[in-house]
Amino acid sequence: MSSSGHGHTPAAWTGVIIAFIGFCVAGVFMVMANVAGFWAGMVLIGAGAVVGGLMRAAGLGQEPKRSAKPAPQAKAQPQEG
């Protein structure tokens, strides 16, 4: 497993599982030449992204990485010349 913990959250797992089911549904209906079923699978793929995002917003996802404090900006000094 990854040592950084990338994607090991309930939000990530739920979003990916829903999207994977949508991918399978869309694939089956594409082979069956059923346009409505294919688009239903595509909607499920989008729903996976939405559900994962909502779960992350609810606190079930990984906290965003905070960068280190920005370096203080040097003040511009006028040139003498």
Side-chain angles (χ1 to χ4, degrees):
M1 293 250 179
S2 173
S3 62
S4 66
H6 177 73
H8 299 294
T9 64
W13 280 100
T14 304
V16 168
I17 289 170
I18 293 171
F20 179 71
I21 291 169
F23 174 78
C24 291
V25 168
V28 166
F29 282 109
M30 184 169 50
V31 170
M32 293 173 48
N34 184 326
V35 176
F38 168 77
W39 285 109
M42 296 303 286
V43 168
L44 278 175
I45 292 172
V50 171
V51 168
L54 290 174
M55 288 180 71
R56 181 176 181 202
L60 295 172
Q62 188 174 8
E63 292 292 323
K65 292 190 169 124
R66 305 283 184 213
S67 61
K69 285 184 180 179
Q73 295 187 1
K75 294 182 180 178
Q77 300 291 331
Q79 292 183 352
E80 295 180 22

